[in-house]
Amino acid sequence: MDQAVAIPHDYPEPVATDSYIIPTLGLYHGTFVFSYLSTFLSYITPYDLPVELLRDAFHTKVSFLQLILEALKVESGYICLIAIFFLISLIPLCYTIAWGCAKEPDDDLNPGPTVDAIIQAEELSLEESLHCRKSFLGLMLQVVILLLIAGVIAMFVTNEQIASAVDHTPTVVRSSLLDAATFLRDAESQMRFVIAEGLATATERIRNDLESVDKLLGEPIQHHLALFTGIDIIFDSIIEISTSSSNLSRRIHLLQDALARAAKISYEAEYRLDELQIQLSVLQRQCTFRDRPLCDTLRIRNFEDTGLIERIRKLQADRTLAKLMAMGEASRNSSMHALTQELTLARSTFRNYAIDVRNVTDNQADQVHERLEELSTDIHATVSILTQTIGELVEQVNRTANFSDSFFDRYREIGAILWLAGLATTIMTLLVTLILLSALSCGCCHADNKAGITLILGAICICIASLALSGFTMMEMLLGAHGQLFICHPLYNEPEYTVLQKLIDKPGLIYPTEPQYGIIGELLRKAAPPEAQWSQPVQISLSTALNECEKGHGSYSTFQLDTLLNLTAKLEHRQRPDLERAIESVGASEEPFIGFTVRIQGILEDMLYDSDLNLTGTRMELTQLSPDKDVLTFIDQLLRVSAQIQDVATASRMTTLGSRAKRLQLSLLAPLEQLRSHIVYHLTALELQLSPWAAQVNKSLSHLRNAQTFLDTEAAEVCYNRSDVYRARLRAHLDSYRNYTATVLNGGCASCRPLFDIFDAMRMLFCHHIMDPMNGLWFSAFLCLFLWAVATPLSLMLSSTYRRLEILSSKLQHSNSHRYNARASVREDQRESSHWSTQRSVSVHVNAVAESSTDEELPHYTASGSDEDAGTDEGAVVIEYIELRYENGDPTNYRESLI
């Protein structure tokens, strides 16, 4: 414990480099909208990877067909998705074929021979219904087109994100490898700095300790004795006693002053009160026989009865108070002056103790340095092993970087093909969407015939493009989902990293045979030089290393480098006989501390004896004594008695006596009462000051006695122990170096967090920058495919509506031009002008033909029908005008009336 307190730990700290490239690439910036699809895919494939199957496939121990058959067992979810995509892509084709084969419902447009008014009304109602259907279908198709445009934009954005991530992949991978090499070099530099600079620091401190023995041996003894005896605190408390004594002396001065003034007033008051007593006696004798009993009840107490003057004189003559009052004075003969002198001498003796131990020999310093040189040689050999191992690992990273250059050429080609496929699919989807949009534009411009044809063309294009889009969606879904399963799920399976550990650590895909101690142990074993002596194999799993690196732990402890360097054992320095003999010659003496506070104790004992003063009884007696209250009571009694006296002269004399007593009370007794209150207050304050002061003196005296007893009995042992602590301090510098080196190397020194940042950057690139947009691409394509399945029936139904509206419009125009005469036209105008009325009239003409009429007579009948006043012969054409009145605008609810 003593060594831990005495040993400084401000060894030089290594500085980590900040020249890493990965943090500057901005991989963590942006919003990944389609990350939620990874959760959806995890529900589709809730199984772990068949690691053993992948390992056998990696080493070509199974055929490709067998790999596919085994993979199908865990890919039922993907197969269901593919089936859904395919079925949805067939919906437009199936509906278009069904629509083309079905008979168009146009019979309601030619209902046959009936009354022309009813035909006209039904055709108008049908036209209004078709217009409503056209508006609804157009609105729905507009919503679908808007969603399609959003899907096309999402496809374009995600495709560009994938292309951008693919283009940046070589940069990120090369930067990761460069950062890995930078980390290895930086870790080696930091660990070498800690080991070498720490040893140099420990050697320098041992030299400084040998040159500063007075501060390192004498002062620790002082501090230890001060800690266990509290001598400094005792000295400070004695100084506080001096200050308290001065305050106590001032309080006694104030009390004596109040006592002197009270004594002066009390003498005068005593004389006046005696006169008042004489006058009362005369008054009682002059009372009549009948009033004498009342007069005899009057009594007044004098000062002799109260004892106030006696108590004031006793306080003035108290010798203890006088001694306490003189204690705080600054004269040479006072107790405080003697106490101050003795206290100064004792403090000087205690504080200058370090000078007595200044002469220390340093003969063994050269032997200590020789031993340190031997240790330094061994430590530098260990650092050389670490440097060679790290250098070999850097070479392996550089070889990996050179190998990756050839791989990225093929990677870019695949990325370009995927980008072109995505761009072509996006353009195809956009063109089909534009065809539907152009059809809507034609409808808005009242080109119904062109709009219908364009909608049919759009439906046909959807039928063809759906198959291509479904194939693209299937391909992207397989790529994104398998990438999520094979890459992202193992990389983000934290903190266990079960799949990744099985893939790389055990059984491992890199080595044909299962590594005995894991991939990290294998890498270190191959990179270490032949002269390295392993204390034990490195046994650390990949998941443990990743978790510790994520927390920022040091590389030395994370990768168990002590098994390679064996640094803990090499820093042990317990066997140094020459150094021990040189250190054992150092010592200190306890003689200055023996009995150096005896005179201070004597002064404090005298002060404690003088503080034994009982002021409580005197204060209580003074509190009970109050001549002022006695006189006031007498005056009140005199007034009550005078009110009952029947003799007027006696009552008058009593009133006069009361006035004299009142003047006595106001002039002398009231000030005396105030002085008595001040005396009681000063006694109370003095008692409150004296009790803590006496307790403080007693406490300081007790502590001083205990401290001196401790010094007399324990100072020798303390000096010996602290000398031994100083000798242990010289050894402890090397222990401190060893502990510091172990603490720093096993702590945050050479933090392997950059390795986790590299790992995190790679999974961020492949999962969030590539796989998430790829999943977003197939999801957007699936959304467009689904919207096409919805848009196809909408387009075909809207095309049929356009065609029916065109036919109905032509029939209405033909009927209006051949059937209505001028009068009917006027009435039709009237009907249109009163469109919003609850009841409307429509006038039409009806050609009624007699049963005996022939076809040849019809023109004649028709010609004669224009004359209203012509007579009607037998067999002639009868022309009637009928007015149809519709109830509430309903063409099916009408009433006929002959005009």
Side-chain angles (χ1 to χ4, degrees):
M1 180 180 65
D2 294 338
Q3 294 178 9
V5 171
I7 299 171
H9 294 283
D10 51 341
Y11 281 85
E13 291 287 344
V15 178
T17 182
D18 56 353
S19 58
Y20 291 102
I21 306 175
I22 287 294
T24 63
L25 297 181
L27 293 174
Y28 301 92
H29 299 162
T31 302
F32 306 104
V33 181
F34 296 100
S35 297
Y36 64 91
L37 290 175
S38 60
T39 306
F40 169 73
L41 293 174
S42 65
Y43 288 118
I44 293 179
T45 308
Y47 309 101
D48 289 335
L49 288 177
V51 180
E52 289 76 10
L53 179 64
L54 290 177
R55 183 171 182 270
D56 293 339
F58 184 80
H59 295 291
T60 64
K61 293 183 178 180
V62 294
S63 62
F64 182 74
L65 179 61
Q66 183 179 359
L67 178 64
I68 294 177
L69 293 177
E70 293 293 334
L72 289 177
K73 296 180 181 179
V74 295
E75 295 192 349
S76 58
Y78 298 154
I79 296 175
C80 291
L81 277 181
I82 292 174
I84 291 173
F85 295 163
F86 182 72
L87 292 177
I88 292 177
S89 67
L90 293 179
I91 291 176
L93 180 61
C94 295
Y95 188 86
T96 303
I97 294 174
W99 178 82
C101 296
K103 182 180 179 180
E104 291 294 335
D106 293 337
D107 294 340
D108 57 346
L109 299 178
N110 189 14
T114 183
V115 181
D116 288 345
I118 299 176
I119 296 172
Q120 180 72 11
E122 290 183 356
E123 288 176 348
L124 290 173
S125 176
L126 181 59
E127 183 182 16
E128 184 176 352
S129 175
L130 290 176
H131 277 295
C132 181
R133 181 185 298 180
K134 182 189 73 171
S135 300
F136 174 74
L137 292 176
L139 177 63
M140 294 299 296
L141 191 58
Q142 288 176 14
V143 173
V144 171
I145 290 175
L146 288 177
L147 294 177
L148 280 171
I149 292 174
V152 169
I153 294 174
M155 290 177 63
F156 179 78
V157 172
T158 52
N159 190 51
E160 291 300 321
Q161 287 179 347
I162 296 172
S164 177
V166 170
D167 291 339
H168 283 82
T169 299
T171 303
V172 174
V173 173
R174 291 192 187 96
S175 300
S176 300
L177 294 174
L178 290 175
D179 283 356
T182 302
F183 161 74
L184 291 173
R185 287 190 291 266
D186 183 54
E188 186 271 336
S189 175
Q190 292 186 54
M191 288 186 284
R192 176 163 42 83
F193 178 86
V194 169
I195 297 171
E197 293 298 324
L199 181 60
T201 302
T203 304
E204 182 66 22
R205 287 179 177 175
I206 291 175
R207 183 182 297 108
N208 293 335
D209 286 353
L210 292 173
E211 295 175 355
S212 304
V213 67
D214 54 337
K215 296 180 181 179
L216 299 176
L217 181 58
E219 291 181 2
I221 291 175
Q222 291 180 5
H223 294 161
H224 185 87
L225 292 177
L227 178 65
F228 283 89
T229 61
I231 194 69
D232 290 333
I233 300 176
I234 295 173
F235 289 157
D236 293 338
S237 66
I238 294 174
I239 294 175
E240 292 178 0
I241 289 174
S242 177
T243 305
S244 301
S245 300
S246 300
N247 296 333
L248 192 65
S249 178
R250 284 193 296 271
R251 176 61 62 185
I252 296 174
H253 272 291
L254 294 175
L255 175 63
Q256 291 293 343
D257 182 66
L259 287 172
R261 287 186 287 135
K264 182 178 179 181
I265 295 176
S266 64
Y267 291 145
E268 179 69 19
E270 183 182 15
Y271 174 75
R272 297 284 296 277
L273 197 60
D274 290 341
E275 290 182 351
L276 190 64
Q277 181 70 32
I278 294 172
Q279 293 174 5
L280 177 63
S281 299
V282 173
L283 178 63
Q284 288 176 341
R285 286 194 300 269
Q286 292 177 354
C287 288
T288 62
F289 178 80
R290 185 176 52 186
D291 295 331
R292 187 175 296 278
L294 289 175
C295 294
D296 292 340
T297 60
L298 296 175
R299 294 287 185 274
I300 184 171
R301 296 178 63 187
N302 55 18
F303 275 63
E304 292 180 358
D305 296 335
T306 60
L308 178 63
I309 296 178
E310 180 183 357
R311 284 166 177 78
I312 290 175
R313 290 173 179 174
K314 186 177 178 180
L315 282 174
Q316 282 182 316
D318 193 292
R319 298 183 60 184
T320 305
L321 284 177
K323 192 174 180 180
L324 289 175
M325 184 174 61
M327 180 183 59
E329 296 178 355
S331 62
R332 286 181 139 321
N333 296 327
S334 65
S335 300
M336 287 297 103
H337 181 74
L339 182 62
T340 302
Q341 285 185 339
E342 293 298 329
L343 184 62
T344 302
L345 180 60
R347 295 181 73 173
S348 176
T349 301
F350 186 81
R351 291 181 176 179
N352 294 331
Y353 175 75
I355 301 176
D356 297 337
V357 292
R358 180 172 295 177
N359 298 322
V360 176
T361 180
D362 55 354
N363 297 334
Q364 305 300 323
D366 294 337
Q367 297 180 8
V368 173
H369 295 317
E370 290 177 3
R371 293 290 297 172
L372 291 178
E373 288 296 332
E374 294 177 3
L375 179 62
S376 178
T377 302
D378 193 11
I379 294 301
H380 281 92
T382 303
V383 172
S384 177
I385 293 175
L386 175 64
T387 303
Q388 294 180 32
T389 304
I390 298 297
E392 180 61 27
L393 291 176
V394 171
E395 290 296 328
Q396 292 182 12
V397 171
N398 293 332
R399 288 195 294 268
T400 304
N402 296 331
F403 169 76
S404 63
D405 293 336
S406 59
F407 169 77
F408 285 129
D409 295 335
R410 183 62 177 170
Y411 179 78
R412 289 193 189 91
E413 294 177 1
I414 297 175
I417 293 174
L418 292 177
W419 177 77
L420 288 175
L423 182 62
T425 306
T426 304
I427 294 174
M428 177 192 69
T429 309
L430 179 61
L431 290 177
V432 174
T433 305
L434 291 178
I435 292 175
L436 297 178
L437 185 61
S438 63
L440 283 181
S441 301
C442 293
C444 293
C445 298
H446 304 289
D448 295 347
N449 188 19
K450 296 180 180 180
I453 295 174
T454 308
L455 287 173
I456 295 174
L457 176 61
I460 296 173
C461 292
I462 289 176
C463 295
I464 300 173
S466 293
L467 298 176
L469 185 60
S470 64
F472 175 78
T473 305
M474 295 175 193
M475 179 189 69
E476 291 293 333
M477 189 273 296
L478 290 177
L479 290 177
H482 285 85
Q484 186 69 34
L485 176 64
F486 286 97
I487 298 177
C488 299
H489 177 66
L491 294 180
Y492 279 97
N493 185 25
E494 47 189 4
E496 292 83 6
Y497 297 102
T498 306
V499 178
L500 188 63
Q501 186 168 339
K502 289 181 179 180
L503 287 173
I504 299 179
D505 229 0
K506 289 185 178 183
L509 295 178
I510 298 177
Y511 302 102
T513 59
E514 183 175 320
Q516 185 177 3
Y517 303 111
I519 187 172
I520 297 177
E522 292 292 333
L523 290 175
L524 288 176
R525 184 179 59 82
K526 291 184 177 180
E531 61 271 15
Q533 297 179 356
W534 295 86
S535 59
Q536 61 182 8
V538 175
Q539 299 181 358
I540 178 173
S541 63
L542 184 63
S543 61
T544 303
L546 286 175
N547 291 323
E548 291 189 4
C549 289
E550 184 179 7
K551 298 174 183 178
H553 292 176
S555 303
Y556 189 84
S557 60
T558 300
F559 301 111
Q560 301 178 3
L561 294 180
D562 193 62
T563 60
L564 170 64
L565 304 180
N566 199 16
L567 190 62
T568 303
K570 292 179 181 179
L571 291 179
E572 186 64 39
H573 56 278
R574 296 298 178 185
Q575 302 300 323
R576 293 186 180 86
D578 296 335
L579 180 60
E580 290 295 327
R581 284 192 296 269
I583 294 175
E584 288 296 331
S585 62
V586 180
S589 175
E590 74 283 0
E591 185 177 355
F593 299 116
I594 304 300
F596 79 113
T597 63
V598 175
R599 296 192 62 184
I600 299 177
Q601 295 180 31
I603 298 174
L604 292 178
E605 288 174 355
D606 294 339
M607 296 172 64
L608 182 63
Y609 178 79
D610 294 336
S611 66
D612 188 13
L613 181 63
N614 185 15
L615 299 176
T616 304
T618 305
R619 178 173 56 82
M620 295 300 295
E621 291 176 356
L622 288 175
T623 303
Q624 296 174 359
L625 299 177
S626 179
D628 182 67
K629 292 182 180 178
D630 294 340
V631 173
L632 289 175
T633 303
F634 170 74
I635 294 172
D636 181 67
Q637 185 183 13
L638 194 64
L639 291 176
R640 284 189 277 108
V641 170
S642 65
Q644 300 177 18
I645 295 297
Q646 298 181 1
D647 184 32
V648 177
T650 304
S652 176
R653 285 191 294 270
M654 284 187 180
T655 303
T656 303
L657 183 62
S659 299
R660 292 175 182 174
K662 185 65 176 177
R663 286 195 298 271
L664 174 62
Q665 186 268 333
L666 292 175
S667 61
L668 293 176
L669 295 182
L672 182 60
E673 177 66 19
Q674 187 176 6
L675 285 174
R676 185 190 65 84
S677 300
H678 287 173
I679 292 170
V680 171
Y681 167 75
H682 288 306
L683 286 174
T684 304
L686 180 61
E687 187 177 5
L688 292 176
Q689 284 183 324
L690 186 61
S691 179
W693 179 80
Q696 187 177 10
V697 172
N698 186 29
K699 183 178 179 181
S700 299
L701 180 59
S702 177
H703 288 173
L704 190 61
R705 287 172 179 172
N706 294 334
Q708 188 59 56
T709 302
F710 180 84
L711 291 174
D712 294 340
T713 58
E714 302 292 335
E717 184 178 358
V718 169
C719 291
Y720 174 79
N721 291 336
R722 294 307 302 182
S723 298
D724 190 62
V725 168
Y726 170 75
R727 293 188 290 266
R729 178 187 176 85
L730 299 178
R731 309 184 194 98
H733 280 301
L734 292 176
D735 289 334
S736 177
Y737 160 64
R738 182 193 60 194
N739 296 334
Y740 165 78
T741 302
T743 301
V744 174
L745 292 180
N746 294 324
C749 174
S751 171
C752 61
R753 175 70 191 195
L755 288 182
F756 180 81
D757 292 339
I758 294 172
F759 169 76
D760 191 39
M762 296 303 297
R763 67 180 184 179
M764 176 67 68
L765 172 67
F766 287 107
C767 296
H768 290 293
H769 289 273
I770 295 180
M771 292 304 163
D772 282 353
M774 187 172 292
N775 290 327
L777 181 59
W778 69 257
F779 180 77
S780 303
F782 168 71
L783 179 63
C784 293
L785 187 66
F786 177 76
L787 292 174
W788 278 355
V790 176
T792 300
L794 291 176
S795 301
L796 294 177
M797 286 188 291
L798 187 59
S799 175
S800 300
T801 303
Y802 279 139
R803 183 165 55 85
R804 297 175 68 185
L805 279 172
E806 184 181 2
I807 297 173
L808 183 61
S809 177
S810 62
K811 293 187 67 175
L812 287 174
Q813 293 176 1
H814 179 73
S815 175
N816 289 334
S817 62
H818 290 85
R819 295 183 181 179
Y820 294 97
N821 58 10
R823 183 178 178 182
S825 298
V826 171
R827 293 192 178 184
E828 179 65 21
D829 294 338
Q830 295 176 356
R831 183 188 65 80
E832 290 179 356
S833 65
S834 60
H835 176 72
W836 297 104
S837 63
T838 58
Q839 182 178 3
R840 62 183 180 178
S841 299
V842 180
S843 296
V844 298
H845 68 277
V846 180
N847 295 326
V849 181
E851 294 181 357
S852 60
S853 301
T854 60
D855 294 337
E856 289 80 2
E857 294 173 336
L858 289 178
H860 173 71
Y861 298 152
T862 304
S864 62
S866 61
D867 189 2
E868 294 182 357
D869 299 329
T872 58
D873 297 333
E874 184 179 356
V877 177
V878 180
I879 300 176
E880 296 178 346
Y881 290 92
I882 301 173
E883 184 178 24
L884 300 180
R885 296 184 179 273
Y886 294 96
E887 298 294 335
N888 298 325
D890 187 1
T892 60
N893 187 9
Y894 62 89
R895 181 168 52 86
E896 298 179 358
S897 60
L898 183 63
I899 300 177

